[in-house]
Amino acid sequence: MEPTSSLNRGKRKNKSSLITGSEIQSQSGGASFITTDSEKSLVSRQASQVGQIELRTYVFLDSLQPQLAAYMGTVSRGFLPIPGDSCLWMEVSPGMAIHRVTDIALKASNVRLGQMIVEREFGSFALYHKDQSTVLHSGDVVLDAIGSEINQRTQPSTSWTEIIRAITPDHSVLINRQNRSGSMIQAGMSMFILETEPAGYVLKAANEAEKASNITVVDVKAVGAFGRLTLAGKEGDVEEAAAASINAIEQISNY
């Protein structure tokens, strides 16, 4: 006599076939899939959690500029970017959800993971690939998975922007001691500083500034409650870079 599980002895739902404690559920197309009893609640919980993920920042960089790529490489714990790579920076809430989002993105294409930061409230990652469509595809798959769109991301706001002209030696030395990942600022240079919320948008500002002008990238902080960008150079170059940075943020806001 064949052994009978406790589930087999119970009432079958919709007269569906049962195999060793698993129910075969039919989809509209006629295809069937098997889900064990313990997996049902797990899959349901995971789908519910994915649906609760909030998209805070979605920043696509078509071509990483040399200084920004080098800066991101100094703080990267994953694969290093090279100039010309396209990059996707995404930030979600809650912070732990970044693991699920990262898993979805990496399985969608052959992008490389450069950074993944897990904070209590926010989580973010940086994906790289030389092919723009590859990076964009992973981004599209993530958006579809969490039921979001680019226009649903948190819109950036500029918290602070300023140009300081002909910086003093004492000031430049202290800045250089505090920021060791980027290039050094020299006394007499002008300095542009920008602060945004959410943080990740400073990457777009930095990349567009480097495209527009001959400046030095001193510091780019894209993690935390606020993003901070520090650029330096000749006065005219800094003014041009500042205009490009602010314009980049405004374009995102108007998207």
Side-chain angles (χ1 to χ4, degrees):
M1 181 177 178
E2 292 294 330
T4 303
S5 69
S6 60
L7 182 56
N8 284 333
R9 289 195 297 270
K11 185 178 180 180
R12 299 180 184 179
K13 298 179 180 179
N14 301 323
K15 297 182 179 181
S16 58
S17 301
L18 299 177
I19 300 178
T20 61
S22 300
E23 182 175 355
I24 301 178
Q25 301 177 350
S26 296
Q27 296 177 319
S28 58
S32 299
F33 62 94
I34 299 176
T35 305
T36 64
D37 300 329
S38 60
E39 286 176 340
K40 286 181 187 178
S41 59
L42 177 61
V43 169
S44 178
R45 287 198 305 271
Q46 288 179 340
S48 176
Q49 290 171 350
V50 169
Q52 294 174 0
I53 297 175
E54 175 193 352
L55 178 65
R56 282 181 49 80
T57 305
Y58 186 103
V59 175
F60 175 69
L61 307 178
D62 56 356
S63 178
L64 280 173
Q65 298 304 293
Q67 290 187 71
L68 181 59
Y71 183 97
M72 295 180 75
T74 64
V75 297
S76 175
R77 294 181 179 270
F79 291 92
L80 301 180
I82 60 174
D85 277 355
S86 56
C87 170
L88 174 63
W89 181 276
M90 189 178 293
E91 182 182 76
V92 298
S93 178
M96 289 298 289
I98 196 64
H99 286 288
R100 170 60 60 189
V101 171
T102 300
D103 180 68
I104 294 170
L106 293 177
K107 289 177 179 176
S109 71
N110 58 343
V111 289
R112 312 311 298 270
L113 181 62
Q115 297 184 54
M116 187 182 71
I117 301 95
V118 186
E119 300 177 296
R120 180 62 191 92
E121 190 172 358
F122 312 128
S124 53
F125 68 47
L127 301 177
Y128 308 120
H129 198 274
K130 61 182 179 181
D131 181 32
Q132 294 183 19
S133 62
T134 299
V135 175
L136 289 170
H137 177 68
S138 277
D140 289 342
V141 172
V142 169
L143 292 176
D144 183 65
I146 66 176
S148 187
E149 298 178 357
I150 295 179
N151 58 13
Q152 292 178 310
R153 61 189 170 182
T154 303
Q155 293 301 305
S157 61
T158 301
S159 306
W160 190 267
T161 176
E162 187 173 15
I163 295 178
I164 297 176
R165 307 175 194 279
I167 194 168
T168 64
D170 284 7
H171 198 173
S172 64
V173 168
L174 190 59
I175 291 172
N176 292 332
R177 288 175 64 85
Q178 291 175 337
N179 305 307
R180 304 298 298 175
S181 297
S183 298
M184 291 190 292
I185 184 171
Q186 300 178 34
M189 283 183 170
S190 291
M191 176 177 69
F192 169 65
I193 50 179
L194 171 70
E195 187 176 68
T196 65
E197 183 184 12
Y201 291 112
V202 296
L203 293 172
K204 183 70 172 180
N207 206 55
E208 294 305 311
E210 191 175 345
K211 285 182 182 179
S213 183
N214 181 27
I215 43 81
T216 296
V217 175
V218 178
D219 187 38
V220 186
K221 285 187 171 64
V223 178
F226 295 89
R228 294 187 173 100
L229 170 65
T230 305
L231 305 174
K234 295 181 179 179
E235 185 173 347
D237 292 333
V238 168
E239 289 178 346
E240 191 172 357
S245 296
I246 295 171
N247 183 58
I249 299 299
E250 290 176 347
Q251 285 184 344
I252 296 174
S253 299
N254 296 330
Y255 179 79

